[in-house]
Amino acid sequence: HYVFIYSERAPATDPVMLWLNGGPGSSSLKGVFSQLGPYSLNDASYGSSTAGPADGGLRLARNNATWNQFANVLYLEQPAGVGFSYCNMSLHQSGEDNCDHSDASAAEDNFALLQAFFDKGAFDEFRSNELYLCGVSYAGIYVPTLAGLIIGDPEKRLKLAGIALGN
């Protein structure tokens, strides 16, 4: 599962940024709604807040510091089984639980996803845009491991321009 939000400036030429929350097992939707997405859940979103609605309904507020001001951001739920993503046992050739990941297998899955994202379907127009891999927490393992696969790709299908890690 992923969420892709276009740049507010110049989507056709602005870089694509992959955002990974760490964990492992932390949903990247946290990045969308509480860190760098265009909208954030405000205090009124939480029913326990004195400012919150009695119905506990979600309330969004504009995030004026969104990274979508300068980049197209791909928020990826990973490894498979995190957040709204799922694992399908019938797709795993070995018959093993494909929700049991290592750092290397997560990087391989993410590399395959990025190749498909840029090569097929609705997002192939971003193939020539620069790519940045970014994240927090355990993404300090995910991002460099994935960057190594991209750099080592003999076909150089992805235009990795840099990485950024926080926390």
Side-chain angles (χ1 to χ4, degrees):
H1 180 260
Y2 65 87
V3 173
F4 184 64
I5 302 176
Y6 290 86
S7 169
E8 296 173 355
R9 185 177 59 182
T13 57
D14 280 347
V16 173
M17 184 179 84
L18 173 68
W19 179 260
L20 303 176
N21 275 80
S26 179
S27 169
S28 290
L29 291 181
K30 181 178 180 185
V32 175
F33 291 113
S34 69
Q35 294 168 323
L36 53 135
Y39 296 96
S40 294
L41 295 169
N42 62 15
D43 289 343
S45 299
Y46 304 100
S48 61
S49 167
T50 57
D55 66 3
L58 299 177
R59 304 292 186 268
L60 295 175
R62 174 71 181 163
N63 176 8
N64 292 323
T66 179
W67 289 18
N68 290 97
Q69 291 177 10
F70 58 85
N72 303 288
V73 184
L74 173 61
Y75 300 90
L76 178 60
E77 302 264 67
Q78 61 85 47
V82 170
F84 289 104
S85 68
Y86 64 92
C87 299
N88 187 335
M89 293 293 291
S90 66
L91 297 178
H92 201 278
Q93 292 178 345
S94 70
E96 296 176 11
D97 181 358
N98 65 347
C99 286
D100 187 16
H101 298 283
S102 66
D103 297 336
S105 70
E108 290 167 5
D109 288 348
N110 293 341
F111 183 54
L113 175 124
L114 286 174
Q115 291 175 39
F117 183 85
F118 288 111
D119 289 342
K120 303 171 186 165
F123 303 105
D124 56 356
E125 74 264 23
F126 294 100
R127 187 178 312 132
S128 63
N129 298 46
E130 290 184 326
L131 173 65
Y132 289 85
L133 307 178
C134 306
V136 294
S137 187
Y138 201 79
I141 301 296
Y142 292 141
V143 166
T145 307
L146 175 57
L149 292 178
I150 293 171
I151 291 167
D153 179 20
E155 296 180 40
K156 303 295 182 205
R157 291 170 279 192
L158 303 172
K159 292 182 61 176
L160 182 63
I163 66 172
L165 298 170
N167 188 322

